[in-house]
């Protein structure tokens, strides 16, 4: 089938061909010189496998449970902000995730309402940034709860280090006539992208989940501006939100073992080892390098996930062998969405599922639960942890 692609790399190539330059650059961006962005991907190549050749399992089980949600494979959708890559945006992603039996993390900066996304996939986990006072943050969470969201993700890995050595892509605050004319040349040379939005409406640059349902949604930059001027939360604030939420609760952005222990102590269900896809503080090591120390810090007390650099099913297996329960993907599914819409996202999940299955077969593991460090060949200097951890 011409629409089918066999690797995430091919989805990436198609996305680059089909997206306007500014939209594409926004997807691949990393902060400053991109050291963390690149390390997120390259670090996986430093890990080797120790395969077996006989007594291989005829069947392999990839199912798991994350935040009380039963998943058919250990890969979830990571929350990403306003999506201008496809007219259906997060709803198409949610449907694809539902088709394969996994959960979607929905950003509070998303372009589609949480009610629509939950309808498309009941296994929706709603993500919040700490924007505004406690009551505003809680109000967003309560709207998500009323819509049927099954868990809350609090993202803390963002320090507003948005400078990029190669320059940042221009992102308009609103799509008025002047803005449309200025971006028209980029759209005209990407007719497939443009025709899709012309049929369904141009990208919505508002954030409907930032306010109670029915209220006027702020623009992306309006919400971002409020976020910039909100004092960063304390651990006491996070503990307060976890108590008020009461259900499954994830803290995303953990890279330091001390923070992992603090998350455990306030009762977090899960933590995600993440550096915001290389968009936070550059020179932070790859998430996969930091995973072992974080996992060791909390043991089995907290579900540990990894976010950053997943491009293959074998990457997923490496993360699980190092202590992750599951992984979250961001750019990979966005490239699939750009390439072929909902079917492209499903395609990405199928690629990852196949890669996980092949890896389990070669490692003679009948289940992802049986993966261990013995399945990997790990360079002596691979892992990273703070000096205080030595």
């Amino acid at each position: 089938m011409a629409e089918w692609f066999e690797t995430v790399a091919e989805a990436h190539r198609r996305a680059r061909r089909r997206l306007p330059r500014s939209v594409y650059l926004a997807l691949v961006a990393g902060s400053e010189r991109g050291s963390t962005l690149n390390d997120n991907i390259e670090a996986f190549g430093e890990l080797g496998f120790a395969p077996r050749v006989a007594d291989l399992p005829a069947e392999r089980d990839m199912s798991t449970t994350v935040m009380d949600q039963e998943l058919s494979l250990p890969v979830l959708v990571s929350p990403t902000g306003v999506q201008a890559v496809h007219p259906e945006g997060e709803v198409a992603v949610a449907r694809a995730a539902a088709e394969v039996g996994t959960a979607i993390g929905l950003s509070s900066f998303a372009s589609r309402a949480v009610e629509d996304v939950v309808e498309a996939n009941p296994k929706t986990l709603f993500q919040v940034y700490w924007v505004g006072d406690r009551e505003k943050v809680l109000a967003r969470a309560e709207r998500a709860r009323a819509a049927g969201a099954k868990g809350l993700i609090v993202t803390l890995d963002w320090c507003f280090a948005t400078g990029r050595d190669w320059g940042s892509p221009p992102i308009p605050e609103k799509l008025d006539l002047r803005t449309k004319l200025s971006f028209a040349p980029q759209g005209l040379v990407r007719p497939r992208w443009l025709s899709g939005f012309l049929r369904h409406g141009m990208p919505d640059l508002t954030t409907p989940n930032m306010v109670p349902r029915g209220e006027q949604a702020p623009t992306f930059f309006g919400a971002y501006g409020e976020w910039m001027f909100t004092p960063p939360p304390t651990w006491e604030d996070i503990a307060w939100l976890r108590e008020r939420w009461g259900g499954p609760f994830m803290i995303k952005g953990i890279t330091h073992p001390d923070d992992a222990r603090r998350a455990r102590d306030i009762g977090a269900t899960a933590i995600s080892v993440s550096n915001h896809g290389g968009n936070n503080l550059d020179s932070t090591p790859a998430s996969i390098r930091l995973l072992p120390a974080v996992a060791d810090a909390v043991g089995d007390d907290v579900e540990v996930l990894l976010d950053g650099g997943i491009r293959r099913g074998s990457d997923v297996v490496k993360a699980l062998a190092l202590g992750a329960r599951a992984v979250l993907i961001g750019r990979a599914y966005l490239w699939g969405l750009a390439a072929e819409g909902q079917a492209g996202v499903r395609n990405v999940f199928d690629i990852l599922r196949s890669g996980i299955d092949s890896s389990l077969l070669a490692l003679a593991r009948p289940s992802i639960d049986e993966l261990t460090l013995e399945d990997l060949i790990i360079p002596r200097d691979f892992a990273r942890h703070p000096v205080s951890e030595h």
Side-chain angles (χ1 to χ4, degrees), residues 180-354:
K180 290 178 181 178
L181 290 174
S182 67
F183 279 86
Q186 292 188 39
L188 291 173
V189 297
R190 296 291 186 266
R192 180 171 175 177
W193 176 90
L194 182 61
S195 64
F197 278 103
L198 288 176
R199 290 195 305 270
H200 298 91
M202 294 306 291
D204 186 353
L205 299 182
T206 62
T207 54
N209 298 312
M210 292 295 291
V211 293
R213 192 176 190 185
E215 290 191 10
Q216 180 65 41
T219 64
F220 173 82
F221 280 104
Y224 190 87
E226 184 182 6
W227 182 21
M228 287 185 68
F229 292 102
T230 297
T234 64
W235 279 110
E236 183 180 350
D237 289 325
I238 304 302
W240 172 87
L241 181 59
R242 188 214 59 78
E243 182 180 352
R244 294 300 187 278
W245 173 255
F249 188 91
M250 179 192 297
I251 297 177
K252 183 176 179 293
I254 299 292
T255 59
H256 198 295
D258 288 349
D259 285 344
R261 286 185 278 265
R262 293 297 296 269
R264 176 197 61 197
D265 293 345
I266 68 169
T269 311
I271 57 177
S272 173
V273 181
S274 169
N275 51 47
H276 217 104
N279 278 287
N280 191 35
L281 182 63
D282 200 27
S283 295
T284 302
S287 300
I288 191 69
R289 298 189 192 278
L290 299 167
L291 173 62
V294 172
D296 287 346
V298 297
D300 296 329
D301 297 336
V302 180
E303 297 173 1
V304 178
L305 288 82
L306 178 126
D307 189 330
I310 299 293
R311 300 292 184 269
R312 301 167 183 84
S314 59
D315 295 340
V316 179
V317 170
K318 290 173 182 178
L320 270 54
L322 284 175
R325 187 182 189 90
V327 305
L328 298 116
I329 59 170
R331 289 182 177 90
Y333 79 78
L334 288 173
W335 292 331
L337 181 65
E340 299 294 342
Q342 179 179 331
V345 179
R346 170 66 188 264
N347 195 158
V348 166
F349 277 113
D350 288 344
I351 290 168
L352 296 178
R353 183 191 296 277
S354 177

Side-chain angles (χ1 to χ4, degrees), residues 335-377:
W335 292 331
L337 181 65
E340 299 294 342
Q342 179 179 331
V345 179
R346 170 66 188 264
N347 195 158
V348 166
F349 277 113
D350 288 344
I351 290 168
L352 296 178
R353 183 191 296 277
S354 177
I356 296 169
D357 187 61
S358 296
S359 299
L360 289 176
L361 176 63
L363 295 170
R365 298 298 189 185
S367 167
I368 58 172
D369 295 333
E370 297 189 27
L371 290 165
T372 72
L373 292 176
E374 294 179 0
D375 296 310
L376 302 180
I377 299 171

Side-chain angles (χ1 to χ4, degrees), residues 90-91 106 110-119 126 143 147 208-209 213:
E90 296 87 358
V91 170
L106 177 69
S111 56
R112 299 297 296 266
V114 61
E115 291 81 8
D116 296 336
V117 173
V118 171
E119 183 179 0
F126 186 70
R143 173 180 171 180
N209 298 312
R213 192 176 190 185

